[in-house]
Amino acid sequence: MNIGLMAHDSKKELMVNFCIAYKNILSRHSVYATGTSGQQIEDISEIEVFKFLPGHLGGDRQMAAQIECNQIDAMIFLRDAVRPADHEPDPAHIVRLCDQINIPVATNLASAELLIIAIARGDLDWRNSYK
């Protein structure tokens, strides 16, 4: 499966810790991330990550294009719902695209854990039959 990862600045450490905790699952899949998040994930967790540009430099649009082309099977966007920085990508666009194309998306740690466990169990294998 192709798993997309994005995180607002205040959630990057949480994303890295998530990837460390679920390294065993993530390492069996193709992981895509915006630049800064992807580099941190790769450096600390040693998971191979295909990195787009940093989100504020167009990486969010590159991820959106992958979603639009149905190249992402599951998306995790850990967002700061209270105080996102002005330069950070708007998660509404990514979530809207995932809704339109029927891609499971998680926007907080609890839903990210549910999604990654579903991936590990094979609950999302039906997505591959529609590509």
Side-chain angles (χ1 to χ4, degrees):
M1 294 195 88
N2 295 333
I3 302 170
L5 303 176
M6 292 176 70
H8 280 158
D9 289 346
S10 64
K11 302 293 181 174
K12 288 193 189 312
E13 184 177 350
L14 181 62
M15 177 65 83
V16 169
N17 289 335
F18 172 84
C19 290
I20 291 168
Y22 293 101
K23 176 181 177 178
N24 204 23
I25 297 167
L26 289 167
S27 62
R28 292 181 293 202
H29 300 278
S30 297
V31 177
Y32 296 80
T34 49
T36 308
S37 298
Q39 192 62 56
Q40 289 178 0
I41 292 164
E42 201 169 60
D43 290 346
I44 296 171
S45 71
E46 300 176 357
I47 295 170
E48 186 177 339
V49 178
F50 178 87
K51 294 174 287 303
F52 298 118
L53 293 170
H56 67 284
L57 296 177
D60 60 326
R61 290 185 298 276
Q62 290 176 306
M63 184 72 76
Q66 291 296 307
I67 293 168
E68 287 173 325
C69 293
N70 208 18
Q71 296 300 309
I72 298 293
D73 299 305
M75 183 71 206
I76 298 172
F77 190 151
L78 297 182
R79 64 189 181 118
D80 186 336
V82 179
R83 284 185 235 89
D86 290 336
H87 71 277
E88 293 181 318
D90 179 11
H93 181 63
I94 297 291
V95 171
R96 187 172 28 259
L97 284 173
C98 290
D99 285 348
Q100 289 172 345
I101 300 169
N102 204 30
I103 294 171
V105 60
T107 59
N108 59 54
L109 183 59
S111 59
E113 288 181 325
L114 289 171
L115 183 55
I116 202 74
I117 290 168
I119 290 169
R121 289 190 329 209
D123 292 349
L124 302 180
D125 286 343
W126 61 270
R127 283 209 36 87
N128 290 324
S129 64
Y130 290 104
K131 287 191 174 183

